[in-house]
């Protein structure tokens, strides 16, 4: 009996040990310390990108404040060799460029110190996710130094910023198009998809095409009310033709991409056209929605803040989307690999600094923008129209390129046969 009771006690103790090891607390205690540290570093890196976005947003607000109210708030204690006797060269347009240059310097230094990071345990990765006190002083120095630089060099930076802003727009377009392709691939019907996915894809494409058509009609009504508005009529009509071309190519038997991706792209192209026409000068008679008194109300302020938020969101979404610009997109992520490319993230933010500078000065280095305005003027309208056409061209090439490559392969095989 003693042996039986001893064996029963041993079985019970072993059962208790097994149950205790299966408990969450036991699993947490038995977890590899390396995995715990890896999880902590990964969470730090994911939190860090939001901190950088907040910093970028605050710098945007600083640039706006320097442009509109810096000359009336700051006392005349500025560096006269850089700002001039009246301080005009440190406010308004040049003030925005100086703030943009400081933002560019900070994020470009972060790019130089993090572009080689591949693992979470590396020093570059820890520098990206931590050391915030040191980076605060680095950011402060980067923002102060441009206000001691002569105006001639700031003008040179403004010319370079135009090119950098154009590169940012191109990268943003590629990121948006890749997202549309992913969305279409996720919802497009195939042999293995169920009826629900097909219905959702059909409903979504119908909604996007409906929104696009309503946008075209609304732009004709609000921005082309008379035949004299020939330029707006041309922009809107050309946009409608682009919608038809993209839809026809998507439905072609050799392409066969369906209506979802072309519908999403159609709404995006209509948005770009609307944004371009909205950027036309205020005194234009073809814009029936804009006031002529030059004053601003709560709608102007709200639209301005939304525009700044859109800049930050566009920069953030493009910065974390480094996969769209990789040649090999099927790399398997290991446990200690970084979850997004730190160098690419900071490079996009440095280009975004140039982009928001161009929006605040309306792509014009000579004239100062009005208060609470952003991206207004013929230069801004022209850039957005070109952006729309380039977006439609890239998307069309994405549709046609697989067919062209397949046609070339077939021709090469036929020529190699005797």
């Amino acid at each position: 009996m003693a042996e039986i009771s001893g064996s029963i006690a041993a079985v019970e103790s072993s059962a208790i040990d097994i149950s205790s090891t299966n408990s969450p607390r036991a699993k947490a205690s038995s977890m590899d310390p390396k995995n715990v540290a890896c999880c902590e570093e990964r969470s730090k890196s994911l939190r860090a990108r939001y901190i950088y976005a907040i910093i970028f947003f605050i710098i945007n607000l600083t640039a706006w404040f320097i442009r509109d109210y810096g000359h009336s708030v700051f006392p005349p204690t500025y560096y006269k060799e850089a700002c001039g006797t009246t301080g005009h060269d440190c406010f308004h347009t040049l003030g925005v460029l100086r703030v943009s240059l400081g933002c560019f310097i900070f994020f470009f230094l972060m790019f130089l110190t993090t572009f080689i990071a591949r693992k979470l345990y590396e020093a570059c990765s820890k520098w990206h996710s931590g050391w915030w006190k040191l980076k605060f002083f680095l950011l402060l120095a980067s923002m102060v130094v441009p206000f001691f630089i002569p105006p001639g060099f700031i003008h040179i930076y403004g010319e370079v910023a135009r090119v950098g802003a154009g590169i940012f727009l191109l990268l943003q377009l590629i990121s948006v198009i890749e997202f549309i392709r992913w969305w279409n691939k996720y919802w497009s019907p195939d042999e293995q998809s169920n009826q629900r996915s097909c219905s959702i894809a059909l409903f979504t494409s119908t909604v996007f095409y409906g929104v696009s058509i309503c946008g075209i009609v609304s732009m004709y009504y609000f921005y082309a009310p008379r035949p004299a508005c020939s330029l707006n009529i041309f922009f809107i009509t050309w946009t409608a033709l682009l919608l038809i071309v993209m839809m026809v190519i998507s439905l072609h038997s050799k392409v066969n991409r369906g209506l979802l991706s072309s519908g999403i792209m159609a709404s995006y192209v209509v948005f770009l056209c609307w944004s371009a026409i909205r950027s036309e000068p205020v005194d234009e008679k073809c814009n029936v929605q804009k006031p002529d008194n030059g004053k601003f109300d709560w709608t102007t302020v709200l639209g301005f803040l939304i525009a700044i938020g859109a800049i930050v969101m566009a920069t953030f979404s493009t910065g974390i989307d480094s996969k769209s610009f990789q040649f090999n997109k099927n790399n398997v992520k290991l446990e200690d690999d970084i979850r997004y490319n730190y160098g690419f993230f900071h490079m996009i933010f440095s280009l975004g600094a140039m982009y928001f500078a161009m929006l605040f000065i309306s792509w014009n280095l000579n004239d100062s923008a009005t208060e609470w305005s952003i991206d207004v003027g013929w230069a801004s309208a022209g850039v957005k129209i070109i952006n729309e056409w380039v977006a439609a061209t890239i998307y069309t090439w994405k549709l046609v390129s697989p067919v062209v490559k397949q046609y070339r392969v077939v021709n090469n095989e036929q020529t190699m046969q005797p």
Side-chain angles (χ1 to χ4, degrees), residues 131-169:
W131 297 84
W132 292 108
K133 292 182 179 180
L134 180 59
K135 281 188 285 193
F136 172 76
F137 289 105
L138 178 63
L139 175 63
L140 186 62
S142 301
M143 299 299 295
V144 171
V145 167
F147 286 88
F148 292 91
I149 299 177
F153 292 97
I154 301 299
H155 276 285
I156 295 175
Y157 169 75
E159 297 292 342
V160 176
R162 286 178 174 175
V163 180
I167 297 174
F168 174 83
L169 284 175

Side-chain angles (χ1 to χ4, degrees), residues 2-21:
E3 293 179 357
I4 295 175
S5 59
S7 61
I8 293 174
V11 171
E12 291 178 352
S13 62
S14 62
I16 294 174
D17 293 336
I18 293 174
S19 62
S20 61
T21 54

Side-chain angles (χ1 to χ4, degrees), residues 116-335:
I116 60 174
R118 294 295 180 270
K119 300 293 182 180
L120 293 170
Y121 300 108
E122 295 175 351
C124 295
S125 179
K126 294 183 178 180
W127 162 249
H128 167 81
S129 306
W131 297 84
W132 292 108
K133 292 182 179 180
L134 180 59
K135 281 188 285 193
F136 172 76
F137 289 105
L138 178 63
L139 175 63
L140 186 62
S142 301
M143 299 299 295
V144 171
V145 167
F147 286 88
F148 292 91
I149 299 177
F153 292 97
I154 301 299
H155 276 285
I156 295 175
Y157 169 75
E159 297 292 342
V160 176
R162 286 178 174 175
V163 180
I167 297 174
F168 174 83
L169 284 175
L170 181 61
L171 296 177
Q172 182 186 357
L173 284 179
I174 297 174
S175 177
V176 170
I177 293 173
E178 288 295 324
F179 172 74
I180 292 174
R181 291 182 63 189
W182 171 85
W183 196 352
N184 180 68
K185 185 178 180 181
Y186 185 78
W187 287 112
S188 60
D190 52 21
E191 296 179 355
Q192 297 179 354
S193 62
N194 53 22
Q195 188 66 27
R196 182 181 178 183
S197 298
C198 298
S199 302
I200 293 176
L202 181 61
F203 174 77
T204 307
S205 59
T206 304
V207 169
F208 276 109
Y209 269 110
V211 170
S212 302
I213 295 173
C214 292
I216 293 292
V217 174
S218 300
M219 285 191 292
Y220 273 122
Y221 178 78
F222 289 109
Y223 304 110
R226 55 184 64 89
C229 305
S230 57
L231 186 60
N232 287 353
I233 293 175
F234 169 73
F235 288 157
I236 300 169
T237 305
W238 187 257
T239 301
L241 292 176
L242 291 177
L243 265 60
I244 297 173
V245 170
M246 290 187 297
M247 182 181 66
V248 170
I249 294 177
S250 298
L251 293 177
H252 195 275
S253 59
K254 293 185 178 180
V255 177
N256 196 19
R257 292 294 182 89
L259 291 175
L260 180 58
S261 63
S262 60
I264 301 173
M265 194 64 197
S267 61
Y268 181 66
V269 168
V270 170
F271 167 76
L272 291 177
C273 180
W274 171 81
S275 180
I277 296 177
R278 286 281 298 176
S279 296
E280 293 177 358
V282 177
D283 56 353
E284 289 299 315
K285 298 180 180 179
C286 294
N287 194 340
V288 299
Q289 285 188 317
K290 287 184 177 179
D292 296 330
N293 52 13
K295 298 181 180 180
F296 59 89
D297 51 7
W298 69 270
T299 58
T300 306
V301 175
L302 181 61
F304 179 81
L305 295 177
I306 292 175
I308 294 180
I311 298 171
V312 178
M313 288 300 299
T315 308
F316 178 81
S317 60
T318 308
I320 62 176
D321 189 28
S322 59
K323 187 177 180 181
S324 297
F325 305 91
Q326 295 176 356
F327 293 102
N328 186 8
K329 301 180 182 180
N330 296 322
N331 292 331
V332 179
K333 289 288 185 181
L334 300 179
E335 189 69 19

Side-chain angles (χ1 to χ4, degrees), residues 88-89 93-94 97-98 101 149-162 358 364-367:
H88 183 272
D89 293 337
T93 297
L94 291 183
L97 292 176
R98 292 178 188 275
L101 178 58
I149 299 177
F153 292 97
I154 301 299
H155 276 285
I156 295 175
Y157 169 75
E159 297 292 342
V160 176
R162 286 178 174 175
M358 291 297 105
N364 194 340
L365 302 180
N366 298 321
D367 297 331

Side-chain angles (χ1 to χ4, degrees), residues 349-412:
F349 270 85
S350 62
L351 295 175
M354 298 180 176
Y355 177 65
F356 83 71
M358 291 297 105
L359 295 186
F360 277 126
I361 66 175
S362 299
W363 300 81
N364 194 340
L365 302 180
N366 298 321
D367 297 331
S368 180
T370 58
E371 293 184 1
W372 293 95
S373 66
I374 183 171
D375 205 15
V376 175
W378 282 114
S380 299
V383 169
K384 290 180 179 180
I385 285 294
I386 295 174
N387 190 24
E388 174 199 345
W389 296 348
V390 172
T393 303
I394 294 176
Y395 175 75
T396 305
W397 172 248
K398 290 282 187 180
L399 294 177
V400 177
S401 59
V403 180
V404 174
K405 292 178 181 179
Q406 185 179 4
Y407 178 76
R408 289 178 178 177
V409 170
V410 172
N411 284 343
N412 291 333

